[in-house]
Amino acid sequence: MSAHSPRRKRSPWTILVAIVLTAVVGFPIYWMLNTALSSQRVLYTEPQPLLPQLGNWEELADDLDGVPVVSMLSNSAIIAIGTTVLTILLATLCAYALSRYRFHGRGLVSFLLFSTQMVPQAVFLIPIYALFLGLGLVNNLWGLVLVNAAFALPVSTFIIKVGMDGIPYELEEAARVDNSPPLGTLTAVLLPLVLPSIAAAAVLAFFAGWGEFMYAATFVTGREMWPASVGLSVLAEQPSSSMPAIMTVATLFAAPAVVFFLLVQRHIVSGLTAGAVKG
């Protein structure tokens, strides 16, 4: 008898529903790409064709002339990657302390940490701006990394902590018998076991940094420092901007986030549901 349980056969209705949902969710992305490849004349004088028109490259290049697409995407990448790295580093250490150490006020620390999610981010806009103005972090990408990491930290800490709570203490005790220091135990024993939780937290942090708009539009004034979210907004507000050019930038802006999600999607569900089942 095989050690693996037989894979359950999917019904035709399940497959049909999956196809319909995929088409509904994917159609806006397809239409965005189709619009980016269409001619401006076709969009405003004729019904938009269902199939992308591939002969619009010269017109599209002229429409995007002067738009710092590479610079905007690079700035967004710096913010997103910086936010993800800083968030995961701090959230892992914070989750380890809350999960493995017993100290007075631990419940209060957890409450204060997660109570920040009860207040809209816009409430903190003016105080953070005044603070960053004094620290010289206005019109600075690293300031956006700090503010996005601060807002992504509580949820990421909770996700990683739940994963650590499901790991038996006996594994750490065995490491301590071998004279492993706490940091060594964390990196060598716990981290490999909570990688799904870290991947789920990394996705949330990356999306928070990649899609940053409110603080970037307020703190960043130089055109060369615009992330793609702000640059796309400014491009869409200009009357001279063509719809294909706007949709091209939007497609390039959405693509990295989709790729990053696909790379770590295997770990997301297991990371978000870690500790949900006990037994």
Side-chain angles (χ1 to χ4, degrees):
M1 184 175 179
S2 174
H4 299 282
S5 59
R7 182 173 296 179
R8 188 170 57 182
K9 185 178 180 180
R10 295 182 176 87
S11 66
W13 288 108
T14 302
I15 298 175
L16 179 61
V17 170
I19 293 175
V20 172
L21 290 177
T22 302
V24 171
V25 173
F27 182 77
I29 300 176
Y30 163 77
W31 200 249
M32 181 172 62
L33 181 61
N34 188 11
T35 304
L37 297 175
S38 299
S39 172
Q40 179 84 345
R41 176 186 58 81
V42 172
L43 290 176
Y44 289 99
T45 60
E46 303 175 15
Q48 185 170 344
L50 293 177
L51 297 179
Q53 308 297 307
L54 302 178
N56 188 38
W57 301 111
E58 294 184 1
E59 179 181 340
L60 185 60
D62 293 337
D63 292 338
L64 291 176
D65 185 30
V67 179
V69 177
V70 176
S71 174
M72 292 189 303
L73 293 176
S74 299
N75 293 335
S76 292
I78 293 174
I79 297 172
I81 295 174
T83 298
T84 303
V85 172
L86 183 60
T87 299
I88 295 303
L89 177 62
L90 296 179
T92 300
L93 296 175
C94 186
Y96 181 65
L98 293 175
S99 176
R100 287 330 204 209
Y101 289 93
R102 300 292 182 266
F103 54 89
H104 293 291
R106 189 179 65 156
L108 179 61
V109 171
S110 299
F111 172 77
L112 293 177
L113 183 65
F114 299 121
S115 64
T116 59
Q117 305 301 299
M118 304 176 188
V119 183
Q121 294 186 12
V123 174
F124 301 102
L125 186 62
I126 296 178
I128 293 178
Y129 182 84
L131 176 64
F132 279 17
L133 192 63
L135 297 175
L137 293 175
V138 175
N139 204 33
N140 190 316
L141 295 180
W142 299 112
L144 297 177
V145 169
L146 291 176
V147 72
N148 281 284
F151 286 113
L153 181 62
V155 176
S156 299
T157 300
F158 174 76
I159 293 173
I160 300 175
K161 177 184 178 298
V162 170
M164 288 184 179
D165 288 342
I167 300 175
Y169 284 96
E170 289 76 10
L171 295 177
E172 292 182 72
E173 292 175 354
R176 292 193 182 98
V177 170
D178 295 333
N179 295 323
S180 175
L183 185 59
T185 302
L186 172 63
T187 56
V189 178
L190 290 182
L191 287 188
L193 299 177
V194 295
L195 281 180
S197 299
I198 292 177
V203 169
L204 297 178
F206 183 87
F207 285 172
W210 185 261
E212 164 60 32
F213 176 77
M214 181 177 64
Y215 284 93
T218 305
F219 294 173
V220 176
T221 57
R223 177 187 174 99
E224 70 283 355
M225 304 293 291
W226 282 348
S229 57
V230 177
L232 181 60
S233 174
V234 173
L235 182 65
E237 293 175 355
Q238 295 178 354
S240 59
S241 299
S242 68
M243 187 58 65
I246 296 174
M247 288 301 176
T248 298
V249 177
T251 302
L252 295 174
F253 180 46
V258 174
V259 171
F260 181 75
F261 176 81
L262 293 176
L263 290 176
V264 297
Q265 64 174 334
R266 293 182 180 181
H267 304 292
I268 293 177
V269 175
S270 58
L272 292 175
T273 57
V277 179
K278 300 288 185 181

